[in-house]
Amino acid sequence: MTLPLLRGVRRQAVALLATAQRPMRVRDVVVALGQSDDRGKVESMRSRLLRLAADGWLVRCEGGTYAIASGVNGNAPAWEGSEQVAP
């Protein structure tokens, strides 16, 4: 399967989650990327992360957290409690 190309914030979010030691909450991703954590930014990021999960880059885990999908960065773990999100 070929994954779509990433640009901008989507690319930054995938890179961040690829190096994270654990699945991350949406608000934590927003803050780690240097954005303000107001509701609009968080909801915008939530939409991006959902799309990235649907595209196969990420998985949505328990508690509304996100992690890199298994195999995306070559050695990503399969996170416990993760689910594939249908497109």
Side-chain angles (χ1 to χ4, degrees):
M1 172 172 110
T2 303
L3 296 172
L5 294 177
L6 297 175
R7 295 185 189 134
V9 176
R10 288 169 47 99
R11 184 176 185 161
Q12 292 171 346
V14 168
L16 172 67
L17 289 165
T19 59
Q21 299 298 313
R22 59 177 173 68
M24 294 179 70
R25 293 179 19 200
V26 177
R27 186 172 304 277
D28 295 335
V29 172
V30 170
V31 171
L33 294 178
Q35 299 178 4
S36 65
D37 66 345
D38 62 58
R39 182 180 171 100
K41 293 285 186 183
V42 172
E43 292 308 316
S44 177
M45 181 61 70
R46 185 180 321 282
S47 176
R48 285 184 180 108
L49 296 181
L50 280 170
R51 183 48 138 171
L52 287 165
D55 288 346
W57 287 99
L58 305 177
V59 290
R60 198 166 96 196
C61 303
E62 292 178 12
T65 59
Y66 290 84
I68 195 75
S70 181
V72 167
N73 70 350
N75 61 359
W79 296 102
E80 190 174 313
S82 64
E83 60 186 61
Q84 287 297 115
V85 177

